[in-house]
Structures are given as structure tokens and as C-alpha cells.
Amino acid sequence: MGAKRTSLEMYRLKKVLDVLASKEGRGTELISLYIPPGRQISEIIAMLRNEWGTASNIKSTTTRKNVQDAIVRVIQRLKLFNKVPENGLVIFCGAIPQGGPGTEKMETYVIVPPEPINIYLYRCDSRFHIEHLRDLIREKETYGVILIDSSEATYATIRGRRLEIVDEITSGIPGKHRAGGQSARRFERIREARIQEFFKRAAEYAEKIFLPIEDLKGIIIGGPGPTKYEFEKGGYLDYRLKEKVIAIVDTAYTGEQGVKEILEKSPEIMRNVRYVEERRIVQKFLYEIGHDTGLATYGEREVRRALEVGLVDTLLLSEALETIRVTIKCSSCGYTYHETMKRTELLGFSQSLVDKPCPKCGMQALEVAEEKDLIDELAELAEAAGSRVEIISPETEEGQMLLKSFGGIAAILRYKMEQH
Ligand SMILES: [Zn+2]
């Protein structure tokens, strides 16, 4: 599989999907179309023509017209492709109200997914169905799952939304209730020894299954009751596996049911893994700042300067940065300059430009020519300079510190910055 998704790619995909998620139709008239690789364009067009015919039964005139118009648009877009791209194709199209009633505008989004989509879906709804694309941007690394209680152990892998049960073993240990005539102490002793044997065997299976998996990102241990903690603490696991344990989770069951429970909780578990990563990155920055090594800098102006001279090793940007970079242009002489501001300040700012003279020609002809998220703008600079970009959430203490104490923009440097 491909390289690890960067936090920047995740951020960008998430943003597009957020835009799509915010779109709502007047009625059930927004089309979502997922075409997996290998399908014929002609076959899809035939299906859409058929849907166009069916849509003539829709009672509401406006909805009928919007649905049929959308279908025609989708067909037009499809005709631009000779064949379905190798990762498949996703098209969203529909009339989106821009304000009050009657303000609908037909919007079309064509997305070639970054990875193969293996789903065929045609749906007409009041919203766009983006959940299958969301699945794509989920964590793609492999996680190992060990579910254990005193009677059995289940081994599984989780990759995105896919889970695979790899193996299951049973302990053969009878329940806690001893047979009549047996002494309680003797029963306990025997049971304890058998559990230890089972733990050893369970750990051997874990080694056999998980050690060969390259890039195993983490291991989640689960199961009902306290057995899983005893197993984890008992030192049965190979150290290479033990250091990969990222969570110990309560589940009601072992077996497939239990693995499904883990899958349900996995977004949260994996988010926590990312938080640990984020904290480490910010702590590295804080160390450089705190020890005055000269290998870190912060604030938009300083970081921009470091980026421009190629000094930045890692650029840290707070996800909560609601700042934009505005390009102001004089429509009389063409003079341009930039300003950075909060997104909420943009309206007031553009109004204030009306009676402001151009710094070059003096005419009152300044206007906002472009606005761009500062995150996108700085990230592009960093990519051009070959710097790593880390988008840091505000969810951790370190993330808050980056945002509040350092303005949400910081950099770890390759070399010391020259004094100026
Ligand atoms: Zn001017």
C-alpha cells in the first residue's frame, strides 16, 4: 500500500467533504453517484437515462425538473471520460439553494478518489452521500486486535472499515465453578496454572500473527472483565508487540462480536493515537524554544521568512487557525499587497477599503482580489520548500498552547536562522 497519509492531505480531503456535507437540497433531488473501477461508462449512462425516465413520475414540478436537470448534467460530465479512472469516479450534482426560495443553483462536483472505491451507488436524496468517501480518508494503517478472556482469544486486523478475523483459540479452561468433591484451593491453583499456560499460548499466537505484518501501527487489546489487563501486564507479549499496544478496551464479547465492538470504537482510539503524535511534535517545538537552541520559530512573519529561505524542517499549523491571507488589488494601477486577518474580519475590511487611497497611485480603487486560508497558503509554501507539514488539532493541551501562546503557527528548523 501507498505511503502514510499526511495530516495535510487528511485536512484537505476533510475540507472538501465538509463543503459537500454542508449542501442541502430543497427536496430529494441531490444526486450521488459512485462508480467503481472496471465499470463501463456506457452502462452507467444507460442506467441514468432510465432514471431520467423514472423521474417523470415525481409529482412536484420543481423537484422533477431539478432531478432531471441534474441527471442530464451528470451524463454530460460522464461523457468527458473515455473510461472510468482506475480508482473509480464519484459525482455529486444537484440544485442547491443559495439563499431563500427560488435561488437554487445547479452544482456539480467530480471527484476522482485517491484510492479505489469498491462501491457502486446511485442515490437521489436531500443531501449528498459522502460517507463512502469519508471511509476512504479514514485511517489506512493496519491495527492488530487481541480479544481475550479466560476461555478464548480472538485475533483480528482492522484496516479502515475492514476487519479480518485471523484466528481464534480456546483455552479449554472450565468456568469458575468447580466440580463437586474437589478442594477449592486445589481447584484455584490448577485453574491459575492453566490460565498462565493459556496466556503463553495466546502470546505465541500473537507473535506469529502480528510480527510479520509490516507497518503494524498499533495493537488494541480487548475483552470482557479483567483478564485482558492480567494478560497485558503479565509480560507474556513479545516486547515488540507490547510497545505497540495503544489501547486496552472493554468489550462485552470476545470473538467476532467483540471485534465489531472494537471497530465501532476504533475512530476514537485512533484519534487518540494521533493526539499522542501531535503532543510529541509540539513538545519537540517547545523544547527547542525553551532551550533557546535557535532551532524553532513562531508567528506568521517569522515562519514565513524561514519557509522562504528553506529553513523549515517541520511546519506546525493549528487546525483551529481561522485566519485568511487576503490579496488586495488596485483596479486602477494594478498594485497588489497582502494582509492577514481573521475570517470574521473580512467583511468589515472590504468595506473599509472603499474610501482608502491606493498606496501607489492614490486612487480610491482598492478591492479584495483573493482570499485564501492561511493554512493552505503556508502549507503550499512549505511543500514547495520540501518541509513537512503537521496540522495540529486544538484537542490536546499542547495543541491549545500552540494556538494560544504561539498564534497557531510555528516551525522546527533545519538550521539556526541567521541573526538579522
Ligand atoms: Zn493604484
Side-chain angles (χ1 to χ4, degrees):
M1 267 318 292
K4 180 187 183 299
R5 298 286 186 81
T6 65
S7 60
L8 178 61
E9 284 171 309
M10 295 289 274
Y11 167 80
R12 283 176 175 157
L13 276 165
K14 226 164 59 186
K15 222 166 78 168
V16 175
L17 292 180
D18 284 348
V19 169
L20 284 165
S22 71
K23 305 284 179 186
E24 225 178 292
R26 270 181 59 261
T28 47
E29 50 191 54
L30 305 189
I31 289 174
S32 307
L33 176 65
Y34 284 70
I35 311 171
R39 287 284 186 128
Q40 297 295 317
I41 296 278
S42 57
E43 170 204 349
I44 307 294
I45 289 179
M47 178 280 295
L48 288 169
R49 291 214 166 106
N50 198 22
E51 288 291 339
W52 190 93
T54 312
S56 56
N57 297 323
I58 298 172
K59 284 199 192 83
S60 150
T61 329
T62 325
T63 306
R64 186 196 321 133
K65 184 180 177 306
N66 285 343
V67 170
Q68 290 188 324
D69 282 359
I71 293 176
V72 170
R73 295 258 182 152
V74 175
I75 292 176
Q76 283 168 352
R77 286 305 181 99
L78 277 176
K79 283 182 174 164
L80 300 177
F81 290 86
N82 298 323
K83 61 193 280 276
V84 177
E86 59 179 25
N87 285 344
L89 189 60
V90 185
I91 301 180
F92 300 103
C93 182
I96 306 292
Q98 310 289 312
T103 60
E104 296 96 77
K105 230 178 76 191
M106 202 55 83
E107 295 185 13
T108 313
Y109 301 84
V110 178
I111 297 171
V112 177
E115 274 182 39
I117 44 150
N118 295 310
I119 177 171
Y120 172 71
L121 175 102
Y122 170 83
R123 183 139 329 151
C124 204
D125 205 340
S126 56
R127 63 182 181 90
F128 290 130
H129 283 258
I130 56 166
E131 54 275 13
H132 306 288
L133 280 177
R134 277 221 194 277
D135 282 351
L136 274 192
I137 67 165
R138 265 171 210 269
E139 197 68 57
K140 282 299 181 290
E141 279 114 343
T142 305
Y143 289 82
V145 177
I146 305 171
L147 292 180
I148 189 163
D149 66 8
S150 57
S151 62
E152 60 180 353
T154 309
Y155 304 87
T157 54
I158 293 183
R159 238 178 103 80
R161 287 295 291 170
R162 272 201 307 281
L163 71 83
E164 191 192 337
I165 310 276
V166 184
D167 214 337
E168 279 178 285
I169 58 172
T170 51
S171 70
I173 301 169
K176 288 198 169 161
H177 304 287
R178 65 198 158 100
Q182 219 172 356
S183 104
R185 269 186 53 206
R186 184 174 147 74
F187 176 81
E188 259 322 304
R189 225 176 31 241
I190 292 173
R191 192 167 189 277
E192 197 44 50
R194 291 191 65 181
I195 284 184
Q196 282 180 24
E197 262 169 51
F198 174 54
F199 281 175
K200 262 185 224 153
R201 192 153 60 89
E204 280 164 18
Y205 266 77
E207 278 173 46
K208 217 164 47 189
I209 292 165
F210 295 127
L211 279 182
I213 301 179
E214 264 177 72
D215 309 328
L216 185 74
K217 175 95 176 179
I219 292 177
I220 302 162
I221 298 179
T227 309
K228 56 184 176 294
Y229 297 109
E230 289 157 17
F231 174 67
E232 199 266 340
K233 285 207 195 86
Y236 298 95
L237 272 180
D238 182 280
Y239 72 98
R240 286 163 293 180
L241 294 180
K242 193 173 162 70
E243 67 188 15
K244 288 202 170 165
V245 174
I246 53 167
I248 302 177
V249 181
D250 267 316
T251 59
Y253 302 93
T254 54
E256 192 180 347
Q257 202 54 39
V259 181
K260 281 187 180 148
E261 287 178 58
I262 299 269
L263 186 64
E264 283 313 307
K265 292 176 183 168
S266 66
E268 191 191 330
I269 296 169
M270 288 158 198
R271 218 176 303 131
N272 285 328
V273 175
R274 172 62 192 164
Y275 290 161
V276 172
E277 236 168 49
E278 288 180 1
R279 297 179 62 167
R280 200 173 35 77
I281 296 161
V282 178
Q283 278 161 6
K284 168 118 176 40
F285 162 76
L286 292 173
Y287 175 90
E288 305 295 352
I289 287 287
H291 290 75
D292 211 6
T293 60
L295 288 176
T297 189
Y298 60 93
E300 186 195 346
R301 208 174 65 92
E302 290 300 305
V303 169
R304 188 180 292 280
R305 212 167 67 84
L307 280 170
E308 279 162 358
V309 293
L311 268 182
V312 174
D313 175 71
T314 308
L315 172 65
L316 288 70
L317 294 169
S318 171
E319 199 183 347
L321 205 58
E322 278 169 352
T323 313
I324 52 173
R325 176 89 160 157
V326 178
T327 308
I328 301 108
K329 191 176 177 184
C330 168
S331 60
S332 175
C333 74
Y335 175 78
T336 61
Y337 65 101
H338 305 283
E339 283 207 29
T340 300
M341 65 192 73
K342 293 258 169 241
R343 178 167 286 287
T344 49
E345 292 166 350
L346 180 62
L347 187 63
F349 176 77
S350 4
Q351 281 161 357
S352 77
L353 282 179
V354 176
D355 41 33
K356 206 175 153 199
C358 165
K360 197 176 166 205
C361 73
M363 295 284 286
Q364 289 181 350
L366 294 175
E367 55 193 26
V368 171
E370 203 199 344
E371 45 163 296
K372 198 167 192 179
D373 273 336
L374 194 63
I375 292 184
D376 290 327
E377 202 246 344
L378 290 176
E380 278 166 26
L381 271 182
E383 282 180 317
S387 313
R388 213 154 61 103
V389 182
E390 295 285 354
I391 308 290
I392 308 286
S393 75
E395 307 297 329
T396 63
E397 206 181 307
E398 284 81 355
Q400 279 294 324
M401 206 183 281
L402 173 68
L403 181 63
K404 299 214 166 114
S405 310
F406 300 96
I409 304 170
I412 299 168
L413 304 179
R414 294 188 175 118
Y415 318 101
K416 280 189 188 188
M417 191 127 70
E418 290 295 317
Q419 291 302 317
H420 58 286

